[in-house]
């Protein structure tokens, strides 16, 4: 029953976001074909508006827009009229997802490891050093770190390619630049949560039995300590795999973030609305899956409205 309610809530959320996106687009002043007024005659502009249903009343446009969304048709780009929005998102998503998933893996692995090590060595040198690294990671913006990585690994050492896109090697530097801030946040979340778990009575009982630190932490503590981190993973996952425009621009990555920003400057309404809805759907679906995953991570959590 809980899952059914969450599914209904998820669909309602998507509908609200899609509706608000449509309304915002209609309130934006100007016309996507205004820049072509000096190039094409009025008859051509009228035909273009008719092709994108812009000549119809707003309520009719909304009905047609929702109908296309239900059939997973996001329309055709105004700027690139030979490509559909689905194709643009698909091509951009491949590059963004490659970089984002690699950045996610780096952030989670080293963030959790750093947080656990800091918690085990609480108030010791390792703890202080780990948190200093985390603070540095949060403080340095990725658009400042990216040129530094390019200078060291591409220009000076000639180890990795840059300013192009082809093989998996092209994803390493942008993934490193993207991963620093989430890595630091994950480390701080993990450290705080692990400290709380280690101070629980059941963990003190386990420690009193003489088990090794490895078994105490990784067999008994990590499952409970990871729950707050999982809550953070959802939005982080979506933001990373849908692309970060600055990083994509610096490394010349043909990702979805670049298409989205370009569509705003070009008043490409179908691409703006399509990418916004796509991002929203991805986010609510990931959050739904995370809610469900709690039950498998911690069997004490019940997926019912009474106990959840």
């Amino acid at each position: 029953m809980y899952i059914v309610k969450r599914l209904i809530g998820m669909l309602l959320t998507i509908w609200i976001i899609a509706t608000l996106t449509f309304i915002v687009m209609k309130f934006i002043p100007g016309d996507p074909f205004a820049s072509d007024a000096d190039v094409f005659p009025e008859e051509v502009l009228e035909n273009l508006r008719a092709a994108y249903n812009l000549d119809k009343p707003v309520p009719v446009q909304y009905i047609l827009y929702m109908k296309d969304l239900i059939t997973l048709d996001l329309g055709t780009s105004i700027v690139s009229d030979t490509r559909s929005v689905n194709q643009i998102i698909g091509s951009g998503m491949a590059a963004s997802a490659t970089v984002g998933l690699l950045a996610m893996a780096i952030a989670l692995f080293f963030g959790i490891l750093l947080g656990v090590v800091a918690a085990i060595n609480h108030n010791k040198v390792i703890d202080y050093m780990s948190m200093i690294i985390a603070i540095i990671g949060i403080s340095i913006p990725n658009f400042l770190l990216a040129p530094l990585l390019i200078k060291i690994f591409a220009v000076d050492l000639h180890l990795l390619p840059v300013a192009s896109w082809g093989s998996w090697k092209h994803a390493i530097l942008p993934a490193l630049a993207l991963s620093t801030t989430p890595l630091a946040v994950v480390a701080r979340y993990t450290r705080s949560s692990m400290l709380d778990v280690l101070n629980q009575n059941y963990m003190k009982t386990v420690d009193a039995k003489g088990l090794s630190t490895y078994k105490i932490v990784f067999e008994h503590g990590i499952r409970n300590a990871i729950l707050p981190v999982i809550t953070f993973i959802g939005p982080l996952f979506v933001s990373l795999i849908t692309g970060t425009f600055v990083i994509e621009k610096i490394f010349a990555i043909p990702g979805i973030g670049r298409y989205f920003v370009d569509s705003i400057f070009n008043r490409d309404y179908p691409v703006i609305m399509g990418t916004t809805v796509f991002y929203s759907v991805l986010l609510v679906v990931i959050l739904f899956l995370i809610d469900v995953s709690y039950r498998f991570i911690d069997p004490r959590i019940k997926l019912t409205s009474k106990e959840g």
Side-chain angles (χ1 to χ4, degrees):
M1 189 62 183
Y2 171 82
I3 294 179
V4 174
K5 289 182 178 180
R6 289 288 289 112
L7 280 172
I8 295 174
M10 182 178 68
L11 294 175
L12 181 61
T13 301
I14 294 172
W15 172 73
I16 292 173
I17 293 173
T19 301
L20 290 176
T21 302
F22 177 85
I23 293 172
V24 169
M25 288 297 100
K26 294 306 166 187
F27 273 102
I28 293 178
D31 187 311
F33 301 107
S35 60
D36 299 322
D38 298 330
V39 180
F40 299 108
E42 185 61 29
E43 292 79 6
V44 174
L45 296 178
E46 289 298 329
N47 290 334
L48 288 172
R49 294 188 183 97
Y52 289 94
N53 299 319
L54 297 177
D55 61 331
K56 296 179 174 61
V58 173
V60 176
Q61 292 183 40
Y62 175 73
I63 293 173
L64 294 174
Y65 165 66
M66 295 305 298
K67 179 183 176 182
D68 289 339
L69 280 185
I70 293 173
T71 58
L72 303 181
D73 181 6
L74 299 177
T76 304
S77 169
I78 292 176
V79 176
S80 177
D81 55 7
T82 59
R83 300 180 68 194
S84 68
V85 179
N86 297 57
Q87 291 174 329
I88 291 173
I89 292 176
S91 61
M93 189 63 184
S96 294
T98 301
V99 175
L101 289 173
L102 181 57
M104 186 78 172
I106 294 172
L108 289 179
F109 179 80
F110 290 102
I112 291 174
L113 180 64
L114 199 64
V116 169
V117 170
I120 295 174
N121 298 276
H122 184 48
N123 288 334
K124 296 180 180 178
V125 175
I126 297 179
D127 182 21
Y128 297 140
M129 291 300 296
S130 299
M131 289 304 98
I132 289 174
I133 294 174
I135 292 172
I136 292 174
I138 295 174
S139 303
I140 300 178
N142 52 34
F143 60 82
L144 292 180
L145 182 62
L148 179 61
L149 293 175
I150 293 173
K151 176 69 168 58
I152 295 174
F153 294 100
V155 178
D156 295 340
L157 300 179
H158 303 285
L159 294 177
L160 294 169
V162 70
S164 57
W165 186 255
S167 67
W168 60 271
K169 292 181 179 180
H170 294 88
I172 295 178
L173 288 182
L176 286 174
L178 272 177
S179 66
T180 53
T181 298
L183 187 156
V185 175
V186 169
R188 291 177 66 85
Y189 267 88
T190 304
R191 175 184 178 273
S192 177
S193 183
M194 180 60 73
L195 285 174
D196 182 62
V197 169
L198 291 176
N199 288 324
Q200 298 294 321
N201 290 331
Y202 76 93
M203 290 297 291
K204 294 178 180 179
T205 302
V206 172
D207 187 29
K209 292 181 179 180
L211 296 179
S212 65
T213 302
Y214 175 85
K215 287 188 175 183
I216 293 173
V217 172
F218 291 97
E219 292 186 11
H220 298 277
I222 194 68
R223 174 175 291 186
N224 294 322
I226 207 71
L227 286 175
V229 178
I230 291 177
T231 303
F232 170 72
I233 286 175
L236 170 65
F237 177 80
V238 176
S239 65
L240 287 179
I241 67 171
T242 52
T244 300
F245 172 69
V246 175
I247 294 298
E248 290 184 356
K249 196 71 173 178
I250 292 174
F251 290 95
I253 300 172
I256 192 173
R258 189 182 71 179
Y259 287 125
F260 176 71
V261 176
D262 288 346
S263 68
I264 295 176
F265 286 111
N266 295 326
R267 294 181 179 272
D268 197 342
Y269 292 170
V271 177
I272 295 174
M273 293 191 290
T275 51
T276 302
V277 172
F278 173 77
Y279 179 92
S280 304
V281 170
L282 196 59
L283 179 59
V284 296
V285 169
I286 293 298
L287 292 178
F288 168 76
L289 293 176
I290 287 175
D291 284 347
V292 175
S293 70
Y294 284 149
R295 176 64 180 84
F296 299 97
I297 296 172
D298 190 346
R300 294 172 300 175
I301 299 177
K302 304 297 182 182
L303 297 181
T304 63
S305 57
K306 181 178 179 180
E307 298 179 66

